[in-house]
Amino acid sequence: MHQLLINTTEGTAKSPLLFDCNMDLDNKIRELAQTCLVDESQFLVEVILKAKAGPKRVLVVLDGDKGVNIETCAKVSRALSNAMDESGLMDDNYTLEVTTPGLDHPLKLKRQYYKNVGRGFKIHTKDKALLKGTLMEVNDQRIILRQEIQAGNLPAARHGKIELKTVEVLFEHIEKAFVMVSFKKIEQ
């Protein structure tokens, strides 16, 4: 999913021509960024263009099947910056930021789900349900979550009884999905 953010002055309508121009720019930056990836385990999540007072901001979000480190972001940033400058793609000054998705960044691609099997997830469905659980399985149509449900009326930590429930969620029903980071201490 592409996200285009354009700041306009209050009361000014967005020009369809400007939108088309920026969508075309978004696609061209996406194509250039694809050629700058270091290896095939990396992939482009999205390109976000922000136009406001001052230079345009180009945000390129990368991910990888085995993660992406800061050195890779720097290499892609340098290569993409050079490619954009050489192509004359940007008429004005711009700020380029190459980053990885943060914890507050919802998953955009199915490929991101595959790399996170076994991790905790929080899913907002299109019917406004909130599901939390461990991602157990992924295929092209759906994911399977394992949820821990407390048994009885007492909190699970005090009661000691937890029931496991498996939930299947079709991708078409997912509004947003986030990887949850756990800071629980693992007992040995």
Side-chain angles (χ1 to χ4, degrees):
M1 179 170 90
H2 297 160
Q3 184 178 10
L4 176 64
L5 302 175
I6 302 173
N7 292 336
T8 60
T9 56
E10 190 173 325
T12 305
K14 294 180 184 177
S15 162
L17 182 59
L18 177 63
F19 184 76
D20 288 343
C21 177
N22 277 319
M23 286 304 289
D24 191 40
L25 180 59
D26 174 82
N27 289 331
K28 288 178 181 176
I29 293 171
R30 179 175 275 284
E31 288 173 14
L32 283 175
Q34 285 291 136
T35 66
C36 296
L37 297 177
V38 176
D39 65 50
E40 291 183 10
S41 72
Q42 297 161 2
F43 52 94
L44 193 59
V45 175
E46 69 182 329
V47 172
I48 301 170
L49 301 177
K50 293 184 180 182
K52 57 182 176 182
K56 276 188 180 177
R57 182 169 173 236
V58 179
L59 177 65
V60 176
V61 182
L62 304 178
D63 206 344
D65 298 326
K66 299 172 189 154
V68 175
N69 60 31
I70 189 111
E71 291 84 15
T72 299
C73 286
K75 285 179 186 177
V76 171
S77 179
R78 283 190 295 274
L80 181 56
S81 178
N82 289 337
M84 288 172 63
D85 291 346
E86 289 172 9
S87 72
L89 195 56
M90 303 295 285
D91 295 335
D92 299 320
N93 290 336
Y94 65 94
T95 301
L96 173 64
E97 181 181 345
V98 176
T99 187
T100 58
L103 294 176
D104 60 341
H105 199 92
L107 277 65
K108 302 282 183 181
L109 305 172
K110 289 180 184 176
R111 191 169 176 181
Q112 292 177 287
Y113 288 84
Y114 285 99
K115 73 175 233 150
N116 285 294
V117 169
R119 297 187 74 186
F121 263 71
K122 178 170 68 171
I123 297 183
H124 299 267
T125 63
K126 290 182 179 175
D127 63 357
K128 307 301 179 205
L130 176 63
L131 304 172
K132 292 182 181 181
T134 302
L135 181 63
M136 301 306 294
E137 190 179 319
V138 180
N139 70 28
D140 286 340
Q141 289 80 37
R142 54 113 176 107
I143 64 171
I144 294 179
L145 287 180
R146 183 186 70 217
Q147 294 181 305
E148 294 181 357
I149 310 295
Q150 74 181 39
N153 295 330
L154 296 175
R158 287 186 17 215
H159 195 272
K161 293 185 181 178
I162 297 176
E163 296 176 14
L164 297 178
K165 176 182 173 186
T166 302
V167 179
E168 182 176 295
V169 184
L170 297 174
F171 278 111
E172 64 193 46
H173 294 149
I174 297 174
E175 181 74 33
K176 293 183 200 175
F178 299 89
V179 176
M180 294 177 21
V181 177
S182 175
F183 296 103
K184 291 181 182 177
K185 185 176 179 179
I186 299 173
E187 295 183 31
Q188 297 182 7

